[in-house]
Amino acid sequence: MTAKILPGRIQQLIINALVFQIGWFACVLGGTTPWLIVVMGLLAFHLLFLADRNEARFLLLVAALGTLVDSLWMQAGWMVFPGWEAAWIPPWLILLWMLFGTLLRHALSWLQDRWILATVLGALGGSSSYLAGAELGAAELPQGRWMTFLAFALTWALLFPLLMWIAKRWPSESGEIS
């Protein structure tokens, strides 16, 4: 992967992680149209300056998988989004999945061959993110914090390594598998 404007791979990874964190807070605390525009701007920044040409399709795939998983959790009654009545997750969470996808081939790429560590970090980090979002008012967890944490930890223990596996095999700009 080649940098288009920003020098240094370490700087790119730090910027990638910071952009994700800013976007996470914008989605979780905002979740409304003005904030979604900010998140779309962050995604555009990533695609323009940090990603190769094949990245957009990868982000759409991550968003589709995440939307499916979270929509199933929502339909099963494990997550409720105040004021949201649709059968799928709200748009801010779909964008958050896209933002998360930006990490998989960049700031978190070091986990691509570390399957046990990816499983543990996925279980702990993924489920903790949902608890943090609920604490900030983005969602309600009707099954309780600890039951939700355990259920989501099991899901993320499988989902995160799968996403890392896909990220590793996703073609780069040159057409080669990364």
Side-chain angles (χ1 to χ4, degrees):
M1 177 168 309
T2 59
K4 294 182 181 170
I5 290 181
L6 300 172
R9 181 74 174 138
I10 298 298
Q11 291 168 332
Q12 288 180 340
L13 299 179
I14 291 168
I15 290 168
N16 176 235
L18 288 173
V19 165
F20 172 77
Q21 282 306 140
I22 292 166
W24 188 91
F25 280 107
C27 287
V28 171
L29 295 175
T32 59
T33 304
W35 286 106
L36 296 183
I37 293 169
V38 169
V39 174
M40 287 186 270
L42 293 172
L43 285 166
F45 174 83
H46 174 82
L47 291 171
L48 288 171
F49 299 114
L50 300 175
D52 64 33
R53 293 181 306 179
N54 291 322
E55 186 98 0
R57 290 187 324 225
F58 176 73
L59 299 181
L60 291 173
L61 174 65
V62 171
L65 288 172
T67 297
L68 174 65
V69 169
D70 281 352
S71 294
L72 290 171
W73 279 118
M74 188 181 80
Q75 291 301 312
W78 285 78
M79 287 190 296
V80 174
F81 300 98
W84 186 253
E85 301 295 327
W88 59 87
I89 59 175
W92 64 265
L93 192 48
I94 296 169
L95 286 174
L96 186 53
W97 272 103
M98 288 184 82
L99 275 173
F100 176 69
T102 68
L103 297 172
L104 300 174
R105 296 179 70 212
H106 301 282
L108 296 177
S109 64
W110 62 276
L111 285 168
Q112 288 178 352
D113 287 321
R114 295 178 173 103
W115 304 113
I116 293 172
L117 188 56
T119 300
V120 171
L121 291 178
L124 297 175
S127 53
S128 295
S129 181
Y130 288 88
L131 294 182
E135 283 296 313
L136 293 172
E140 297 169 3
L141 306 173
Q143 307 302 323
R145 292 177 49 85
W146 292 110
M147 286 301 294
T148 301
F149 180 84
L150 290 174
F152 284 27
L154 289 173
T155 300
W156 274 87
L158 299 171
L159 183 60
F160 188 57
L162 171 66
L163 290 171
M164 294 307 297
W165 183 83
I166 294 168
K168 181 177 174 136
R169 282 148 186 81
W170 199 263
S172 67
E173 190 172 62
S174 66
E176 296 177 10
I177 304 298
S178 50

